[in-house]
Amino acid sequence: MTLSEEDYIKAIYHLSKDDKGNVSTNAIAAQMDSKASSVTDMMKKLAEKDVVHYKKYQGARLTDKGKSYAAKIIRKHRLWEFFLVEKLNFSWDEVHEIAEELEHIKSEKLIEKLDAFLDFPRTDPHGDPIPDKHGNITKVEKILLSSAKNNEKGIVIGVKDSSSDFLRYLDKLGISLGKEITILHKEPFDNSVMINLDGEKTSISALTANNIYLKIN
Amino acid sequence: MTLSEEDYIKAIYHLSKDDKGNVSTNAIAAQMDSKASSVTDMMKKLAEKDVVHYKKYQGARLTDKGKSYAAKIIRKHRLWEFFLVEKLNFSWDEVHEIAEELEHIKSEKLIEKLDAFLDFPRTDPHGDPIPDKHGNITKVEKILLSSAKNNEKGIVIGVKDSSSDFLRYLDKLGISLGKEITILHKEPFDNSVMINLDGEKTSISALTANNIYLKIN
DNA sequence: CAAGATTTTTAGAAATGTCTAAAAAATTAT
DNA sequence: ATAATTTTTTAGACATTTCTAAAAATCTTG
Ligand SMILES: [Mn+2]
Ligand SMILES: [Mn+2]
Ligand SMILES: [Mn+2]
Ligand SMILES: [Mn+2]
């Protein structure tokens, strides 16, 4: 599989995460920052290789083979991100881009040895689960901060948006994985959320609250 | 610079190591396992980018820019090899192929952090020097085992051939970097060399002796 | 349901990197 | 110094990946 094919497979995987149906040509083009016509070409090729189901005008979805392949790329991506943060002291907003390249390195043995060296981490620096070597992903119960109720208390276990900009903003707010947050009040006017973080009252915008995952209890 | 361009730059660098002159089109093709016509095409492109001096029918050599670029790729290659052996417990015959991919990962910051994580190693697992971040390479005095004289004693500090086959053969002989070898006798008939290794007499073929570097004294 | 709008595909082209076969230049040998 | 040989370049082709523009299909809406 070429680098380009792998990136398309990953894009379809991420677009399929939420809803089960087919992913539209335009949605893939947007995700890949390419054009619909390029997607059509690629879908024909990936269908030929049996990694996607594709019918004209009906979008695409991954086959079992495609899903397994996607999980392997994501496993590599997240293990490398973990390595960059834990061993090389990168911050969580710097690693995505580099992992985007490292995820395409081909050796199976490399990734198993890396996994062992890192002591078999379960989640990446953004709280996302690392698939095991068979492609199985452990789902963790989590809710968006924006949907937590008053007086609920939770631990930050992930982010929905893992762009550099958002992650650096969280750094500035003092929010990182593992922090305890208590919901004090939800403001109906602008859907902002007043929280208790490290014993201090802080107001979080609706957009921010909608991109932080909490584990409740 | 593309992956392909980087591999050509590296090939010219390695071919230029010994003699200073221009490298022939055919020599590059042989090194790259490609065809002379492909090399001609690529040399035109690399000359356009000012990394090689190239004149029709006269071969190519790296410009200063090209040399500096080559040193950077080789730095990455050798740091990754060191990482694979020292941190991930690969054996020295397994790492070249993987480093061949890793050397193309683009982040400058990554390689500086990797260097620090590895505690600034000076040589790779095959005894080859790791260029510093400015591309400077420290030359180490060394001779081929085949050119050592009777009764000379030396430390194995490198190999000329670092193919898997040769390295695995050295493993079998019990020869690794750091081992002390004493030359007992050179057999004129087949140029084989009788050595003392770990207190035992061993005979080394001319070919083998011609691919092991020693530091004398 | 019939425009009208949107999405998707096709057609055609460009850039990259590679190859084979043939031509041209350089080198070696007679 | 010619001829034979080897090296190198050119010409033309193919596979990938991508794009723009235009056509076709599907969806939306009055
Ligand atoms: Mn990628
Ligand atoms: Mn991540
Ligand atoms: Mn390479
Ligand atoms: Mn090496």
Side-chain angles (χ1 to χ4, degrees), chain B residues 165-177:
Chain B
D165 284 346
F166 182 61
L167 297 175
R168 275 200 295 265
Y169 177 55
L170 291 184
D171 285 343
K172 213 152 59 182
L173 290 175
I175 295 175
S176 56
L177 297 190

Side-chain angles (χ1 to χ4, degrees), chain A residues 78-92 95 113-121 125, chain B residues 80 83 86-88 109-110 112-119:
Chain A
R78 292 180 180 166
L79 280 172
W80 280 118
E81 282 191 343
F82 186 92
F83 167 74
L84 294 173
V85 168
E86 294 301 319
K87 299 293 184 180
L88 299 196
N89 293 115
F90 276 94
S91 58
W92 68 341
V95 296
K113 278 178 174 286
L114 180 65
D115 195 22
F117 175 62
L118 300 174
D119 209 17
F120 309 103
Chain B
W80 280 117
F83 167 75
E86 294 300 318
K87 299 293 183 178
L88 300 196
K109 193 166 184 178
L110 169 61
E112 296 322 314
K113 279 177 173 287
L114 181 63
D115 193 22
F117 176 62
L118 299 175
D119 210 17

Side-chain angles (χ1 to χ4, degrees), chain A residues 2 4-5 8 34-35 37-38 41-42 45 57:
Chain A
T2 67
S4 197
E5 289 168 343
Y8 273 97
S34 65
K35 293 294 148 72
S37 54
S38 304
D41 289 347
M42 188 54 92
K45 185 145 61 109
Y57 294 103

Side-chain angles (χ1 to χ4, degrees), chain B residues 2-52:
Chain B
T2 67
L3 189 148
S4 197
E5 289 167 345
E6 291 190 344
D7 280 340
Y8 274 97
I9 290 170
K10 224 178 28 141
I12 298 168
Y13 180 91
H14 282 129
L15 291 167
S16 308
K17 240 180 331 189
D18 313 308
D19 53 290
K20 294 284 157 194
N22 286 12
V23 178
S24 77
T25 300
N26 266 358
I28 298 168
Q31 175 86 9
M32 290 291 297
D33 208 5
S34 65
K35 293 294 148 73
S37 54
S38 305
V39 174
T40 300
D41 290 347
M42 187 56 90
M43 289 312 108
K44 287 176 182 166
K45 186 144 63 106
L46 292 181
E48 195 60 46
K49 294 192 173 190
D50 271 320
V51 291
V52 303

Side-chain angles (χ1 to χ4, degrees), chain A residues 67-121:
Chain A
K67 277 179 206 158
S68 152
Y69 203 100
K72 276 176 193 155
I73 305 168
I74 287 161
R75 171 170 163 77
K76 291 196 275 180
H77 184 103
R78 292 180 180 166
L79 280 172
W80 280 118
E81 282 191 343
F82 186 92
F83 167 74
L84 294 173
V85 168
E86 294 301 319
K87 299 293 184 180
L88 299 196
N89 293 115
F90 276 94
S91 58
W92 68 341
D93 62 287
E94 301 176 301
V95 296
H96 182 81
E97 245 193 310
I98 301 175
E100 205 56 48
E101 292 184 55
L102 285 165
E103 71 190 358
H104 301 288
I105 303 289
K106 291 279 177 272
S107 165
E108 187 105 8
K109 192 165 185 179
L110 168 62
I111 214 66
E112 296 320 315
K113 278 178 174 286
L114 180 65
D115 195 22
F117 175 62
L118 300 174
D119 209 17
F120 309 103

Side-chain angles (χ1 to χ4, degrees), chain B residues 201-216:
Chain B
K201 279 176 72 170
T202 313
S203 176
I204 299 282
S205 73
L207 182 59
T208 302
N210 205 37
N211 280 294
I212 296 173
Y213 287 119
L214 295 182
K215 189 173 89 179
I216 301 297

